[in-house]
Amino acid sequence: MAFTGVHAPLRTDTSLRIKSDDEYHKGVSPLERLPINIIQTVCLDYMHVVCSGVMKRLLKFWVLGSQQVRMLKTNLELCNTELIKLREYFNSEFSRLPRSLNDILFYKATEFKMFLLYTGPIILKGRIKKMYTYIL
């Protein structure tokens, strides 16, 4: 995602309700019927912002992105092999077992969370192009 400027107007309850930003709104929210200030009252949630948002975007960037930024094919295959091998070490407390990065378009939020917190730091170390490793 590219932000073309840093001096954008802040979103307000009024601007949200009148849908002043065409690219942001996907429909009518049931929250709009409530007599509350949506911007100040409704909090951002970890699952959508971090797991299904940032982590999904980074993985798509590294696995499916342009050739300059994505992992080398051999590194991707090694990551996939290691993810499958890690399955035997996960107990029943985890709702899903690790699966191939080739399936990231079908990952659920819990899989992105597991990758972010547990498996990703282990299998990605040394496998992402150096200029993109500052986040690891």
Side-chain angles (χ1 to χ4, degrees):
M1 177 173 289
F3 297 100
T4 56
V6 293
H7 301 292
L10 294 176
R11 188 169 284 126
T12 65
D13 186 62
T14 305
S15 69
L16 184 111
R17 290 177 187 276
I18 64 170
K19 298 174 180 43
S20 62
D21 185 354
D22 293 335
E23 293 179 27
Y24 178 77
H25 299 279
K26 295 183 180 185
V28 178
S29 169
L31 296 173
E32 293 179 51
R33 288 185 248 147
L34 299 175
I36 60 171
N37 183 324
I38 297 171
I39 300 298
Q40 292 179 348
T41 308
V42 178
C43 62
L44 302 174
D45 73 295
Y46 171 78
M47 182 184 81
H48 288 99
V49 175
V50 176
C51 301
S52 299
V54 176
M55 194 68 245
K56 182 177 184 178
R57 187 169 293 238
L58 283 172
L59 275 175
K60 285 173 70 176
F61 180 71
W62 293 328
V63 175
L64 305 171
S66 66
Q67 191 170 1
Q68 304 121 309
V69 296
R70 72 175 172 238
M71 266 190 274
L72 297 173
K73 189 174 181 175
T74 54
N75 286 342
L76 180 60
E77 290 169 2
L78 286 170
C79 288
N80 288 336
T81 302
E82 288 183 14
L83 279 169
I84 301 306
K85 284 181 185 177
L86 286 173
R87 296 179 86 154
E88 67 183 90
Y89 300 102
F90 280 78
N91 61 31
S92 61
E93 300 299 318
F94 289 88
S95 60
R96 296 178 178 271
L97 295 174
R99 58 179 167 156
S100 168
L101 290 175
N102 295 330
D103 295 332
I104 60 168
L105 295 178
F106 306 104
Y107 272 26
K108 301 292 183 192
T110 56
E111 292 170 291
F112 289 118
K113 178 182 173 183
M114 181 175 42
F115 192 88
L116 172 67
L117 299 176
Y118 303 105
T119 59
I122 296 167
I123 68 156
L124 290 179
K125 189 166 181 124
R127 296 199 173 123
I128 294 180
K129 294 183 180 178
K130 207 165 196 72
M131 65 187 301
Y132 302 110
T133 59
Y134 63 91
I135 59 170
L136 292 176

